Amino acid sequence: MNQLLMKMAASVCVALTMLTAPASAGTDGVSQANANPFGLLLSQDRAGVGAMTGDRIAALGTLPTARSVKPGGEVLSSKYSTKWLSTQPRPQQDAEWRCMTEALYFEARGETLKGQFAVAEVILNRVDNPRYPNSVCGVIKQGTGRKFACQFTFTCDGRPEVINEPASFARLGKIARAMLDGTERALTGGATHYHTSAVAPVWAKRLTHTTKIGIHRFYR
C-alpha cells in the first residue's frame, strides 16, 4: 500500500513538473508560466509533495473522505430513539394533544418508537384528507359509540379507557407533541389505515399496502 501511494505521489510530481515547466516567451516577451499565475501555484504544490516522507504519503490513505460523512437524513432517524425522546421538554397540552396521546397509548403503547410515530402519522394523514374530519379529535372519535363502526378500536371496544401506565403515557405525550408540531411524516408513505398482523380486514384488499412496522401493516 505504501509503495503504491509513493508511486502515485511520484506520478503527481511528474505531472506537476510538466504543467509548470517554463514555456517559450511569446512575441510580447512574457512566458506563459508568468502569464498564468496557476503555474506558480502548481510548482509550489509539486515541491510540497516531493518533500513528503513515505509515512506521510501512506497516511493519506487513512484520511476520512466526504463520502464517509452521511447526510442530514441521519438526524431524522435519531428522532426514533429513547435518547432523542428523553431530551424533549414536557409537552404543551391541549385537547388535540390529549386525543393524540390517548390514541397512541391505547393503540400502540406496546410498539417500538417507530411504530408509535407511524400510528400518529396515520391520524394526521387523515386530518389532511377531505374524506375524514379535519381535527385530531374528530378523526380519532369518528364512529365512536357505534359497534364495529369506530375507526380506532379503543373507542368502541367496550373497555374503560384508564391510564394505568403514567410513565408510558408521558413518553407518548412527547411523540404526540412532536407530530402535532409538524415533525416530518417519513415512515408510512402517506398511510391512512393500519391493522395488526393478527387480522386480515376486507378493506385492506382495496388499498395500497405501504409498509409494515412492528405488528402493524399500513395502507393508503
Side-chain angles (χ1 to χ4, degrees):
M1 181 66 179
N2 289 353
Q3 292 179 350
L4 177 60
L5 289 169
M6 292 180 69
K7 288 181 179 180
M8 292 173 62
S11 298
V12 172
C13 290
V14 171
L16 291 171
T17 299
M18 294 175 65
L19 287 170
T20 58
S24 57
T27 55
D28 58 356
V30 180
S31 70
Q32 292 181 10
N34 291 334
N36 183 1
F38 290 107
L40 179 59
L41 292 175
L42 289 172
S43 179
Q44 293 172 345
D45 287 343
R46 176 176 60 82
V49 172
M52 292 175 66
T53 65
D55 290 341
R56 291 190 64 191
I57 293 174
L60 292 174
T62 64
L63 293 177
T65 63
R67 187 172 296 180
S68 68
V69 180
K70 295 182 180 180
E74 217 171 74
V75 175
L76 178 64
S77 65
S78 70
K79 174 182 66 178
Y80 308 120
S81 70
T82 54
K83 181 178 180 181
W84 179 87
L85 208 60
S86 67
T87 65
Q88 302 308 298
R90 184 175 180 178
Q92 179 183 354
Q93 303 180 15
D94 53 27
E96 296 283 89
W97 172 86
R98 182 76 189 188
C99 288
M100 175 73 84
T101 306
E102 287 183 354
L104 295 180
Y105 180 85
F106 291 109
E107 293 276 311
R109 71 178 180 276
E111 280 286 270
T112 64
L113 280 180
K114 280 189 176 182
Q116 292 159 353
F117 272 98
V119 169
E121 282 190 23
V122 168
I123 295 169
L124 293 175
N125 287 341
R126 285 196 173 199
V127 172
D128 293 343
N129 191 312
R131 295 182 179 181
Y132 300 95
N134 61 358
S135 70
V136 170
C137 292
V139 163
I140 293 170
K141 295 178 180 179
Q142 186 178 15
T144 297
R146 302 199 309 271
K147 192 173 183 179
F148 305 123
C150 60
Q151 299 296 301
F152 293 84
T153 306
F154 80 96
T155 66
C156 63
D157 60 7
R159 289 180 289 183
E161 297 163 19
V162 180
I163 309 298
N164 293 318
E165 301 173 27
S168 177
F169 189 83
R171 179 172 54 80
L172 292 166
K174 291 184 177 182
I175 295 175
R177 187 74 269 163
M179 294 302 295
L180 289 169
D181 287 346
T183 292
E184 182 181 0
R185 304 173 206 169
L187 294 173
T188 65
T192 52
H193 294 69
Y194 67 90
H195 66 78
T196 69
S197 54
V199 299
V202 293
W203 53 258
K205 298 178 180 179
R206 302 192 299 268
L207 302 176
T208 300
H209 177 245
T210 60
T211 190
K212 181 179 183 297
I213 302 175
I215 63 169
H216 286 135
R217 297 176 66 87
F218 295 84
Y219 303 81
R220 67 168 178 268

